[in-house]
Amino acid sequence: MNKFGYAISEEAKNDKYVPISEPNLGRSEMQYLAQAFASGWVSSQGAYVDRFESSFAEFCGTSWGVATSNGTTALHLALVTLGIGEGDEVILPDLTFAATINAVLHSGATPVIVDVEKDSWCIDPVSIKRAISKRTKAVIPVHLYGQPCNMEAIMNIARERKIYVIEDAAEAHGAAYKGKKVGSFGDIGCFSFFANKVVTTGEGGMCLTSSRQLNDRMRVLRDHGMMKNRKYWHDRVGYNYRITNLQAAIGLAQLERIEELLDTRTKIELMYKKALSRLNFIEFQSDDLPGREKITWLVSALIKDGSRDRCICKLQNSKIDARPFFYPLSDMKIYKPYSHSCAISRKISSMGINLPTYRSVNKKTIKKITGLLDGGSR
Ligand SMILES: *Cc1c(COP(=O)(O)O)cnc(C)c1O
């Protein structure tokens, strides 16, 4: 802890190791956590769960929030709540973290993997349209690396073809499309609060909805399928996907600081852009796509001269944890059978790099990274 009450890792303090990400936790998180602890409500009942749910829903512009144990259970809860399972198809992008497709497979439905857009790196509405069959029940747009999907096109297709939309907004807390926050477009919007996301609860997640019926159903399924008004009576096979009051306490404090958290990340991205602007083989994630207000999750860029792997190697050897983008799902044996052709996703994935993005990344860190990348192209 430093004098502001912030936790700073030994490595970062000693300028030895630069992690990809670090949670931004402060005094208020500690205070709320201590209050939750002292109240004795350490499991999933308690005032912080309700407050976190309603505050996050309000922040995103939906009527209800149902907090879950993590982002993957949020996605699974959304799928089963919409009645999606065996025999159904769910369309999702090739470029995403595997939790998106794992949740679909756990539901028993068949994933259908489609390509992404070249400029946004997010699921391509044209590919969605092409992949729709009689069995298609839902599409999961993933707001990748903080970038909103083209929600107008996607919602139009979904309305026309009568399929559900489950947003995966795990990496895009606070991003917006035409002034409306992501997570509020679809039937259900799913979030993760893992330690590397913008708002964290350690582990945690949330499903947002503006449908009273879906909200009620999600609450029952999250809590063992137990009837709300009849204790120990079950008319559906449910799950235990609850968050704890301790986690929700941290989440509420984080949410009260979200503008600051986002602002810090934006400033770091701007610092990188300024320092790296003279390296013309690096192209940063688009921030000027019509209607889309992206946030900075992990600073994301493409290294376009074929030296991506070499650059990452160099940074890693200098104890800087830069990361390659997600592998395309279609590259992995267990997911490949579900995939349509995904040429754009494969190309982006092979060029993509995530750079360290957390509060204490400073000019000095960025200068070091710039120096290493500069040599990397030659
Ligand atoms: C982090 C993440 C998830 C899963 O969240 P967990 O809380 O780790 O289960 C799902 N989808 C995407 C796109 C993510 O980045």
Side-chain angles (χ1 to χ4, degrees):
M1 286 279 160
N2 66 10
K3 64 182 176 189
F4 305 109
Y6 292 129
I8 290 183
S9 68
E10 279 310 305
E11 293 88 342
K13 221 182 331 191
N14 298 335
D15 198 24
K16 269 192 192 140
Y17 176 74
V18 179
I20 180 83
S21 157
E22 222 177 55
N24 184 335
L25 296 168
R27 243 191 226 302
S28 54
E29 283 83 344
M30 176 92 109
Q31 271 165 3
Y32 287 9
L33 177 61
Q35 279 163 18
F37 178 94
S39 75
W41 294 99
V42 295
S43 281
S44 53
Q45 282 172 308
Y48 283 112
V49 176
D50 299 335
R51 285 175 67 191
F52 182 43
E53 288 180 338
S54 54
S55 303
F56 197 74
E58 190 185 336
F59 171 74
C60 295
T62 64
S63 307
W64 291 283
V66 179
T68 58
S69 46
N70 59 62
T72 312
T73 52
L75 286 164
H76 187 247
L77 182 64
L79 287 157
V80 295
T81 297
L82 293 168
I84 293 165
E86 219 176 301
D88 300 328
E89 288 177 358
V90 178
I91 299 171
L92 51 90
D94 189 38
L95 196 57
T96 181
F97 181 58
T100 318
I101 190 168
N102 287 345
V104 172
L105 288 164
H106 290 316
S107 79
T110 305
V112 176
I113 302 169
V114 302
D115 210 354
V116 298
E117 297 173 319
K118 164 164 105 329
D119 50 358
S120 73
W121 314 339
C122 292
I123 193 165
D124 182 359
V126 177
S127 313
I128 296 176
K129 233 176 173 165
R130 233 181 267 142
I132 291 177
S133 78
K134 277 208 185 81
R135 295 166 57 190
T136 307
K137 275 282 167 61
V139 57
I140 309 183
V142 180
H143 307 293
L144 193 77
Y145 300 130
Q147 182 81 272
C149 299
N150 183 346
M151 289 316 293
E152 191 169 291
I154 294 169
M155 294 312 294
N156 282 339
I157 294 168
R159 238 172 262 129
E160 195 181 302
R161 307 298 297 266
K162 296 196 168 52
I163 59 178
Y164 293 119
V165 176
I166 300 170
E167 295 176 75
D168 183 343
E171 302 175 358
H173 309 179
Y177 182 86
K178 296 202 171 163
K180 193 168 138 71
K181 294 253 167 57
V182 302
S184 69
F185 287 87
D187 298 276
I188 300 174
C190 299
F191 290 81
S192 161
F193 305 119
F194 186 66
N196 67 6
K197 312 291 181 182
V198 173
V199 164
T200 185
T201 60
E203 295 276 1
M206 192 152 348
C207 292
L208 299 182
T209 188
S210 290
S211 152
R212 179 184 295 276
Q213 194 193 12
L214 292 178
N215 175 57
D216 291 347
R217 254 192 266 167
M218 286 197 283
R219 285 176 189 283
V220 170
L221 286 172
R222 177 184 62 173
D223 192 16
H224 302 286
M226 190 154 60
M227 280 183 76
K228 212 162 75 179
N229 307 318
R230 194 173 174 194
K231 195 99 183 149
Y232 305 133
W233 189 262
H234 305 252
D235 53 10
R236 284 204 58 177
V237 180
Y239 309 87
N240 176 358
Y241 281 174
R242 297 172 309 217
I243 198 169
T244 67
N245 198 42
L246 301 173
Q247 292 166 311
I250 298 173
L252 182 66
Q254 285 265 284
L255 186 58
E256 289 173 356
R257 296 176 53 218
I258 192 164
E259 297 305 336
E260 176 207 331
L261 299 178
L262 288 169
D263 196 48
T264 303
R265 287 174 182 270
T266 307
K267 284 188 174 135
I268 290 164
E269 181 161 15
L270 287 173
M271 270 160 55
Y272 273 112
K273 278 186 168 170
K274 206 169 149 195
L276 295 171
S277 62
R278 68 193 159 80
L279 308 185
N280 56 14
F281 57 95
I282 297 182
E283 182 184 308
F284 280 87
Q285 185 183 33
S286 307
D287 61 359
D288 56 356
L289 298 173
R292 305 195 212 202
E293 298 155 53
K294 80 167 204 89
I295 56 127
T296 303
W297 177 47
L298 298 178
V299 171
S300 307
L302 304 182
I303 296 189
K304 305 196 80 168
D305 65 349
S307 70
R308 196 274 310 264
D309 290 347
R310 232 179 321 138
C311 287
I312 286 182
C313 229
K314 263 191 160 176
L315 293 168
Q316 290 280 358
N317 287 340
S318 302
K319 295 189 180 163
I320 295 164
D321 191 12
R323 302 256 177 103
F325 275 13
F326 301 123
Y327 290 106
L329 295 177
S330 57
D331 246 13
M332 291 176 265
K333 200 172 150 200
I334 51 174
Y335 306 126
K336 199 183 171 70
Y338 308 110
S339 152
H340 285 213
S341 107
C342 295
I344 297 170
S345 147
R346 301 170 82 85
K347 198 159 173 198
I348 290 166
S349 166
S350 72
M351 297 190 291
I353 185 169
N354 291 125
L355 295 166
T357 313
Y358 57 94
R359 184 188 37 218
S360 34
V361 169
N362 54 25
K363 285 212 171 98
K364 199 173 137 208
T365 325
I366 291 180
K367 199 171 164 196
K368 188 170 167 190
I369 292 172
T370 309
L372 289 162
L373 288 177
D374 199 0
S377 69
R378 277 175 259 136

